[in-house]
């Protein structure tokens, strides 16, 4: 009413500018500026990672070498699932004993990498780095467009540079892995799900499963919700990918991957201190920390109970999967279900490395968007900050140094207990992924009618979204 004092000033778009919103904007701006500067500093090492001294160093070889030598083997009609070190020796002419196992990457990925083998390995690594950087910028631009009405390219470039400060993104680029192209495919599927294009969305999800079979819980979600068109599209693209692999490398190599390589791919790494999957806590707690490939951190269990460890190793991921599917189905929102199940997929994967966390840009965008839409509720801001803090791991070298200190310091009475405790610190991101899934799962809904949402002061000013009254959501539906 005119003449009455209002404790809130209003943004032109209709959102109240409260103390929380001003604090959020100031804090987020400072964070982006700091991250942008750190991202600029991270660029030279990323570019240097595709220079010859690093490409052929036996200890810092890029993971991209698996695709390159595997694709060369496909070209030559040789078994691409021979131990990686032997393929490196045969095709690149140097020794590396970092990879004593076959590549765990799927057959379609190796076939799709064949065009890169028509150039030298250094040139192929540089081409792949460009592909990954473009995938990062495109993903950030699409995510920004789902947060802002008019995304700007300069802002996407700034945010993409800032993302380089996050260790998982930096690690992904330096390793030459596959997660950023997967991120782009999943961001595209999120946009299509939001707009109701479930067939195209399913196709992109199927394409992401071709690169790495990580987000398979989405197929269960489609089956449970009877989203048959999305499910058929995803499985159809996945089947086409494996038919392409059979044509490219032969049925015997594909069967060898499915029956021999894939079942044993996680075994050497399940106790690694770098594995942040939900399969890891139970094993480390009751069996111990250690891997023949990551041998520099070994630790005994907190409680020596191998049978209990085996039960927890399977039971924890199973509970996470059931809870995540329940949250996703209850959301009645395929866009938010995708965010929840990305978190769940990372948790239930037997092996999850830090660079896999790149996919969390999807649920993090959803969480930030919800904070803004709900008028910056204080309790939700605090929870978001806590989740982001858990998901900001630096290089695991810090844990290695602490481990060595625990082994050599005479001041520590119980070296064993300290080693076991320190080895659990690398599971903090696991807790962050779980907290992010829980936070998205507890929200009433992300999709609102814009006109009704603007007229909902109870929702705008509520400190806790779980207790706020809101209008009936307009939920985008998936075709049945």
């Amino acid at each position: 009413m005119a003449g009455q004092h209002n404790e809130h000033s209003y943004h032109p778009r209709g959102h109240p500018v409260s103390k929380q919103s001003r604090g959020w904007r100031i804090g987020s701006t400072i964070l982006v500026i700091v991250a942008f500067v750190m991202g600029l500093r991270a660029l030279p090492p990323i570019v240097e990672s595709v220079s010859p001294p690093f490409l052929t160093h036996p200890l810092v070889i890029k993971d991209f070498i698996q695709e390159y030598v595997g694709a060369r083997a496909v070209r030559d009609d040789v078994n691409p699932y021979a131990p990686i070190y032997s393929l490196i020796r045969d095709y690149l002419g140097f020794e590396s004993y970092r990879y004593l196992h076959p590549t765990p990457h799927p057959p379609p990925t190796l076939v799709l990498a064949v065009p890169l083998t028509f150039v030298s390995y250094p040139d192929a690594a540089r081409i792949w780095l460009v592909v990954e950087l473009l995938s990062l910028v495109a993903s950030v631009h699409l995510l920004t467009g789902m947060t802002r009405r008019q995304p700007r390219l300069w802002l996407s470039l700034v945010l993409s540079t800032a993302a380089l400060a996050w260790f998982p993104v930096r690690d992904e680029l330096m390793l030459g892995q596959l997660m950023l192209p997967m991120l782009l495919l999943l961001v595209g599927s999120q946009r299509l799900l939001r707009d109701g294009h479930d067939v195209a969305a399913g196709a992109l999800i199927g394409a992401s499963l071709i690169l790495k079979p990580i987000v398979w819980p989405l197929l269960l979600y489609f089956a449970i919700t009877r989203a048959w068109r999305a499910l058929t599209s995803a499985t159809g693209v996945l089947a086409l990918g494996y038919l392409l692999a059979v044509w490219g490398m032969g049925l015997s190599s594909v069967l060898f991957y499915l029956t021999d390589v894939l079942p044993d791919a996680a075994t050497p790494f399940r106790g690694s201190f770098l594995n942040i999957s939900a399969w890891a806590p139970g094993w480390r707690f009751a069996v111990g920390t250690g891997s023949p490939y990551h041998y520099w951190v070994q630790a005994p269990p907190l409680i020596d109970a191998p049978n209990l460890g085996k039960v927890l190793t399977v039971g924890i991921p199973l509970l996470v999967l059931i809870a995540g599917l329940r949250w996703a189905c209850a959301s009645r929102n395929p866009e938010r279900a995708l965010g929840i199940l990305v978190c769940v997929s990372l948790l239930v994967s037997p092996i999850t490395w830090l660079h896999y966390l790149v996919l969390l840009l999807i649920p993090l965008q959803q969480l930030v968007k919800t904070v803004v839409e709900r008028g910056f509720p204080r309790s939700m801001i605090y929870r978001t900050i806590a989740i982001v803090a858990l998901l900001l791991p630096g290089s695991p070298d810090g844990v290695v140094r602490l481990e060595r200190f625990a082994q050599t310091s005479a001041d520590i009475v119980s070296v064993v207990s300290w080693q076991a405790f320190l080895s659990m610190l690398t599971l903090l991101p696991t807790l962050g992924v779980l907290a992010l899934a829980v936070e998205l799962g507890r929200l009433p809904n992300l999709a609102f009618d814009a006109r009704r949402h603007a007229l909902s002061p109870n929702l705008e000013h509520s400190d806790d979204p779980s207790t706020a009254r809101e209008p009936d959501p307009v939920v985008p539906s998936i075709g049945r």
Side-chain angles (χ1 to χ4, degrees):
M1 185 179 296
Q4 288 187 346
H5 173 71
N6 192 335
E7 61 178 350
H8 294 280
S9 59
Y10 279 81
H11 189 275
R13 291 182 181 175
H15 295 295
V17 182
S18 61
K19 291 182 179 179
Q20 294 100 297
S21 64
R22 284 194 294 269
W24 173 274
R25 290 188 174 96
I26 293 172
S28 60
T29 301
I30 293 174
L31 178 62
V32 169
I33 292 173
V34 172
F36 177 76
V37 174
M38 295 176 64
L40 288 176
R41 293 184 61 186
L43 269 176
I46 291 172
V47 174
E48 194 176 12
S49 70
V50 292
S51 62
F54 287 88
L55 288 174
T56 58
H57 193 288
L59 296 180
V60 293
I61 289 177
K62 295 171 74 72
D63 283 357
F64 172 73
I65 204 169
Q66 301 176 65
E67 274 68 45
Y68 188 81
V69 297
R72 284 285 299 270
V74 171
R75 271 184 61 192
D76 294 345
D77 200 21
V78 176
N79 179 20
Y81 289 104
I84 301 171
Y85 79 91
S86 66
L87 296 176
I88 293 174
R89 181 188 60 214
D90 294 342
Y91 287 110
L92 300 179
F94 64 91
E95 298 287 344
S96 173
Y97 296 102
R98 177 181 171 186
Y99 298 107
L100 302 179
H101 53 85
T103 178
H105 296 176
T109 302
L110 301 184
V111 174
L112 292 173
V114 166
L116 292 173
T117 64
F118 290 96
V119 298
S120 66
Y121 172 58
D123 288 340
R126 295 184 188 105
I127 291 171
W128 188 248
L129 176 60
V130 172
V131 170
E132 287 217 280
L133 288 171
L134 291 175
S135 298
L136 174 62
V137 174
S139 299
V140 171
H141 191 67
L142 287 173
L143 288 171
T144 305
M146 287 183 276
T147 306
R148 300 170 56 93
R149 293 180 181 177
Q150 295 180 344
R152 293 178 173 86
L153 182 58
W154 70 265
L155 179 60
S156 300
L157 291 172
V158 169
L159 293 176
S160 298
T161 305
L164 301 180
W166 191 26
F167 180 79
V169 175
R170 189 166 68 250
D171 195 38
E172 160 75 14
L173 291 167
M174 296 188 74
L175 290 174
Q177 267 280 349
L178 303 168
M179 305 311 295
L180 284 173
M182 283 185 62
L183 173 67
L184 179 57
L185 291 169
L186 292 173
V187 170
S189 68
Q190 177 186 357
R191 179 67 176 265
L192 292 167
L193 284 173
R194 186 186 69 169
D195 296 339
H197 304 302
D198 45 298
V199 174
L204 292 185
I205 290 170
S208 73
L209 290 169
I210 285 176
L211 295 180
K212 280 192 177 183
I214 293 177
V215 294
W216 58 266
L218 284 167
L219 301 182
L220 294 181
Y221 166 75
F222 290 145
I224 293 171
T225 57
R226 300 179 182 179
W228 304 124
R229 291 194 296 176
L231 178 62
T232 302
S233 177
T235 54
V237 170
L238 183 60
L240 286 175
Y242 274 85
L243 287 175
L244 175 66
V246 170
W247 172 78
M249 67 175 61
L251 180 61
S252 60
S253 294
V254 174
L255 292 177
F256 179 75
Y257 169 79
L258 294 174
T259 59
D260 291 78
V261 176
L262 187 60
D264 295 332
T267 302
F269 302 104
R270 62 184 173 188
S272 171
F273 79 106
L274 295 174
N275 181 16
I276 58 173
S277 162
W279 293 71
W283 189 268
R284 294 199 211 174
F285 178 78
V287 180
T289 301
S291 166
Y293 294 100
H294 303 143
Y295 54 85
W296 53 91
V297 171
Q298 305 279 341
L302 288 172
I303 297 176
D304 190 7
N307 291 332
L308 174 62
K310 293 176 182 178
V311 172
L312 293 176
T313 299
V314 177
I316 294 175
L318 182 60
L319 290 176
V320 169
L321 177 62
I322 294 172
L325 286 171
R326 180 177 179 181
W327 294 329
C329 295
S331 71
R332 298 177 293 115
N333 183 331
E335 183 184 359
R336 178 153 63 99
L338 176 67
I340 294 171
L341 292 176
V342 163
C343 298
V344 170
S345 298
L346 296 178
L347 292 171
V348 303
S349 174
I351 299 295
T352 299
W353 307 120
L354 280 174
H355 60 269
Y356 285 24
L357 299 187
V358 166
L359 299 184
L360 292 183
L361 291 178
I362 294 173
L364 285 172
Q365 177 268 340
Q366 295 181 2
L367 182 59
V368 170
K369 180 182 178 183
T370 308
V371 171
V372 175
E373 285 182 339
R374 295 181 180 277
F376 307 92
R378 186 182 295 109
S379 59
M380 195 172 183
I381 290 176
Y382 294 155
R383 292 195 299 271
T384 301
I385 292 173
I387 290 170
V388 170
L390 290 171
L391 295 175
L392 288 177
S395 169
D397 291 342
V399 175
V400 176
R401 288 193 291 269
L402 289 172
E403 285 281 354
R404 290 173 178 170
F405 173 76
Q407 293 172 356
T408 59
S409 176
D411 297 330
I412 297 178
V413 178
S414 176
V415 173
V416 170
S417 62
W418 270 99
Q419 284 180 284
F421 171 75
L422 292 173
S423 69
M424 302 293 285
L425 289 179
T426 56
L427 292 175
L428 289 177
T430 311
L431 183 60
V433 178
L434 180 60
L436 180 56
V438 171
E439 183 66 18
L440 291 179
R442 69 186 292 273
L443 295 175
N445 213 295
L446 289 179
F448 297 93
D449 177 81
R451 181 180 59 82
R452 292 184 180 180
H453 182 59
L455 298 176
S456 178
N458 291 321
L459 179 60
E460 293 284 357
H461 301 297
S462 173
D463 253 1
D464 192 340
S466 62
T467 60
R469 290 191 297 107
E470 56 179 302
D472 294 333
V474 176
V475 182
S477 61
I478 297 183
R480 301 303 183 192

